[in-house]
Amino acid sequence: MKAKKFLIALAAFFAVSANVSAQTPIILKVHSFSSPQAPEAVHHMLPLIDKIAKDSNGRLKLELYPSMQLGGKVSDLIQQVEDGVVDIVITIPGATPNRFPLLQATDLPFTNVGTSAGQTPAVLEWVQKWLMGNEFKGLKILHLHTTDAAVFHTTKKPLTTMADLKGMKIRVPGRFVGEAVKLLGGTPVGVALPEVYESLQRGQLDGMTINWAIMTPYKLQEVTKYHMETAFYQNPIMTLMSQASYDKLPADLKKVIDDNIGVAYSTGVAKKIDELTMPAKKAITEAGGTIYSLSPEEAAKWRTAVAPVYAMWVAEADKRGLPGQKMLDDLLERTAKYGRK
């Protein structure tokens, strides 16, 4: 009798344990370089967190750690996700240039559309064709959108000619934008986004290249005066998941993730990013900033001056055994298809 009661109690224990286990959510850590007020948090990750929790009935939860709260430098994010320290990261290609040298074709100067919604599907198509077996090995793309147009923002003078850039220290997001700034006469400086405000305020930088939408979340209109409207480039912002973390999920939770990502989803986020451009410009002018454009003649000179950067990128791809010129031509064709200006 005692043995029977013991077996019944044991079975009840395991039933309760199984039920508790079934209700315990799987938590995925998301580590981001940017602030919780940044567009990629407000219009992408925070809504995605809510949607995945809802669609999984609370069984799958994403925990966001913005502004590098889990430690390390922005350049460490990819290593963190590959080492399993975190499950998902939000980063930009230029933060780990040796890891994503080919992806940086997507922010080559003067090859862009100017809108996030226009550039994003072109970039995603191109990445899926050329880079999935290369730079994204071991990583699953949950989301990728390009910024709205990134332009020059300076503290003391407008840049009406290339001569105005001579000797100026300009914050850049990555290698090829930096090479372009050098060709235009400036001195590129790599500064993490959270440190840009203070660097501009202290005069350690004379300006930066950055997109419109990011200005107000970081209050950068307070420390810059002149803002060139002529689009320079667009920078991809990526949300990448460890393939190993994804593979560990049960099939139904994998489906929850897959049902909430893709080109249509990323393009939808991109449209919301574009809606931030005009309010950012309004905030800039209200703060006393001056928005101006290069003359068509001067813009043509700048385009000619940065042309060697394209050859640098092609050489990088060729060195890796890939058809560099063909890849670049394909990117430009896709960009043109979505309305390159």
Side-chain angles (χ1 to χ4, degrees):
M1 187 69 176
K2 288 181 179 180
K4 184 177 180 181
K5 287 182 179 179
F6 173 76
L7 290 173
I8 292 172
L10 189 63
F13 170 78
F14 281 117
V16 170
S17 298
N19 185 56
V20 170
S21 177
Q23 297 305 314
T24 302
I26 295 173
I27 296 174
L28 301 177
K29 291 182 179 178
V30 183
H31 204 192
S32 175
F33 76 102
S34 64
S35 79
Q37 292 80 36
E40 55 272 15
V42 174
H43 297 287
H44 157 51
M45 184 48 67
L46 294 175
L48 185 64
I49 287 172
D50 291 342
K51 186 70 164 48
I52 284 178
K54 179 182 177 181
D55 290 357
S56 68
N57 293 317
R59 291 176 54 226
L60 184 61
K61 293 187 177 182
L62 277 57
E63 289 184 350
L64 176 61
Y65 296 88
S67 305
M68 301 303 297
Q69 286 181 355
L70 295 179
K73 304 184 293 293
V74 178
S75 57
D76 297 329
L77 283 169
I78 295 299
Q79 194 66 52
Q80 288 177 357
V81 79
E82 290 182 330
D83 289 346
V85 176
V86 298
D87 302 287
I88 299 167
V89 294
I90 302 175
T91 187
I92 60 174
T96 44
N98 293 331
R99 184 67 168 76
F100 296 104
L102 302 180
L103 182 59
Q104 290 182 80
T106 58
D107 55 29
L108 288 171
F110 302 121
T111 61
N112 43 41
V113 171
T115 65
S116 181
Q119 189 81 341
T120 292
V123 168
L124 276 168
E125 286 181 5
W126 185 80
V127 165
Q128 289 167 355
K129 178 175 180 179
W130 295 105
L131 300 186
M132 292 311 296
N134 297 293
E135 295 181 349
F136 289 90
K137 189 174 181 180
L139 298 170
K140 180 178 177 66
I141 299 175
L142 297 189
H143 170 66
L144 182 154
H145 74 267
T146 67
T147 62
D148 57 341
V151 301
F152 282 90
H153 307 266
T154 49
T155 57
K156 295 178 181 177
K157 64 179 180 179
L159 307 175
T160 56
T161 69
M162 278 190 285
D164 293 326
L165 255 175
K166 187 173 177 58
M168 291 182 69
K169 298 186 292 294
I170 304 293
R171 185 264 181 183
V172 298
R175 174 187 170 192
F176 293 105
V177 176
E179 293 290 348
V181 167
K182 277 198 279 188
L183 289 166
L184 293 169
T187 301
V189 181
V191 178
L193 188 54
E195 300 165 13
V196 171
Y197 185 103
E198 188 175 350
S199 298
L200 289 163
Q201 191 177 46
R202 291 183 173 185
Q204 296 166 335
L205 292 172
D206 300 304
M208 60 184 172
T209 60
I210 209 165
N211 61 300
W212 296 106
I214 206 66
M215 292 291 287
T216 51
Y218 287 88
K219 300 182 179 180
L220 296 171
Q221 73 275 14
E222 297 178 355
V223 287
T224 49
K225 174 68 175 174
Y226 299 98
H227 311 267
M228 183 192 293
E229 192 151 25
T230 306
F232 192 43
Y233 66 91
Q234 291 173 257
N235 197 214
I237 297 178
M238 311 177 289
T239 302
L240 305 176
M241 183 176 185
S242 162
Q243 187 65 47
S245 293
Y246 175 82
D247 290 342
K248 290 177 185 176
L249 295 174
D252 62 329
L253 294 186
K254 288 179 183 176
K255 186 175 186 302
V256 168
I257 289 178
D258 292 341
D259 286 349
N260 282 286
I261 63 175
V263 174
Y265 167 76
S266 291
T267 304
V269 172
K271 290 176 181 177
K272 293 178 181 177
I273 301 301
D274 287 331
E275 292 173 1
L276 304 175
T277 302
M278 292 311 296
K281 290 180 180 180
K282 185 173 184 288
I284 285 167
T285 56
E286 288 176 349
T290 299
I291 297 176
Y292 66 99
S293 297
L294 290 177
S295 69
E297 296 78 18
E298 187 65 22
K301 292 178 184 177
W302 287 45
R303 290 173 184 272
T304 300
V306 303
V309 175
Y310 311 147
M312 290 179 196
W313 184 88
V314 168
E316 183 71 42
D318 289 346
K319 184 173 70 176
R320 294 167 184 268
L322 295 166
Q325 190 60 54
K326 184 177 180 180
M327 291 172 69
L328 181 59
D329 291 343
D330 183 52
L331 175 63
L332 295 179
E333 286 173 11
R334 292 177 190 277
T335 302
K337 182 176 76 172
Y338 288 98
R340 181 163 59 91
K341 299 176 183 177

